[in-house]
Amino acid sequence: MTTAPRIASISRTTSESSIELTINLDGTGVSNIETTVPFFDHMLTAFAKHSLSDLTVKASGDIHIDVHHTVEDIGISLGLAIREALGDKAGISRFGDALVPLDEALVQAVVDISGRPFLVHSGEPAGFEFHLIGGHFTGSMVRHVFEAITFNAGLTTHITVLNGRDPHHIAEAEFKAFARAFRQAKALDPLVQGIPSTKGAL
Ligand SMILES: [Mn+2]
């Protein structure tokens, strides 16, 4: 069983953004999020709350150009922090799945803490990727964030939008479903002895 605290901090600075991020995988969903991108603050707060991870993010970046760099770099940093915090992955449930509605929107998410980065993402309605949610957050960035998290954390993630019309509802249901699936997958299961893989490593 993993005994080390499952906490990691990432500092990542490039010419496009500067990110300070800390995650505690065994938290209660407390967050302090300041990304300078209001809709993304909302999404990360929802992720923390529904994954029962404590999350602190302080970011700045070239949002005068576009929110793209800052949002993507936070996704990368969150993925790196998740990977580090998971440690050797001993004692975890490993798999998680969730089906989460938000009014008319319905999203299924499945997470495998596999060590093999793979994202399968489908079902957003036509035109979603071009919509500016809140007037500043491009719909295309929803998938891009899940790519950044999944690839850097070493997750296998399947996200399927089963229904939805309102872009805010769809995006929020995606983040909540991912959070709930991740919550299950990273949970420590007292019945799991060691690393839950026939290979002996994840
Ligand atoms: Mn990009």
Side-chain angles (χ1 to χ4, degrees):
M1 186 67 78
T2 299
T3 52
R6 297 197 300 169
I7 299 172
S9 293
I10 298 290
S11 292
R12 186 179 186 277
T13 296
T14 70
S15 60
E16 297 175 342
S17 73
S18 183
I19 318 290
E20 301 282 339
L21 184 151
T22 298
I23 193 165
N24 176 4
L25 296 180
D26 298 303
T28 57
V30 176
S31 62
N32 185 357
I33 314 288
E34 296 177 39
T35 71
T36 74
V37 181
F39 185 74
F40 199 39
D41 286 357
H42 183 38
M43 294 301 97
L44 292 176
T45 302
F47 168 75
K49 174 69 73 175
H50 296 291
S51 70
L52 298 181
S53 303
D54 293 345
L55 181 64
T56 302
V57 181
K58 178 90 172 139
S60 59
D62 56 1
I63 64 167
H64 58 286
I65 296 172
D66 185 5
V67 304
H68 190 117
H69 299 142
T70 300
V71 170
E72 178 173 2
D73 292 348
I74 293 167
I76 291 169
S77 300
L78 179 55
L80 292 171
I82 287 171
R83 180 191 284 270
E84 184 179 329
L86 283 167
D88 67 3
K89 302 169 187 164
I92 62 169
S93 294
R94 179 177 166 182
F95 301 99
D97 64 271
L99 195 56
V100 171
L102 200 173
D103 294 353
E104 90 294 347
L106 181 65
V107 176
Q108 180 185 57
V110 182
V111 170
D112 175 9
I113 299 174
S114 62
R116 294 192 311 280
F118 208 100
L119 177 70
V120 180
H121 180 269
S122 65
E124 290 175 346
F128 178 91
E129 65 270 44
F130 308 124
H131 183 79
L132 283 178
I133 303 171
H136 65 277
F137 190 91
T138 316
S140 64
M141 291 308 294
V142 175
R143 177 185 295 177
H144 210 22
V145 168
F146 289 124
E147 288 169 344
I149 297 171
T150 289
F151 294 167
N152 288 282
L155 308 176
T156 301
T157 303
H158 289 246
I159 296 174
T160 309
V161 178
L162 298 169
N163 215 336
R165 180 173 184 273
D166 180 89
H168 186 131
H169 289 170
I170 293 166
E172 186 167 341
E174 290 191 58
F175 277 91
K176 285 177 173 172
F178 174 70
R180 285 287 294 211
F182 179 66
R183 169 184 161 178
Q184 279 184 8
K186 54 100 166 158
L188 295 170
D189 182 336
L191 295 179
V192 172
Q193 300 290 316
I195 296 166
S197 167
T198 54
K199 294 193 301 288
L202 286 172

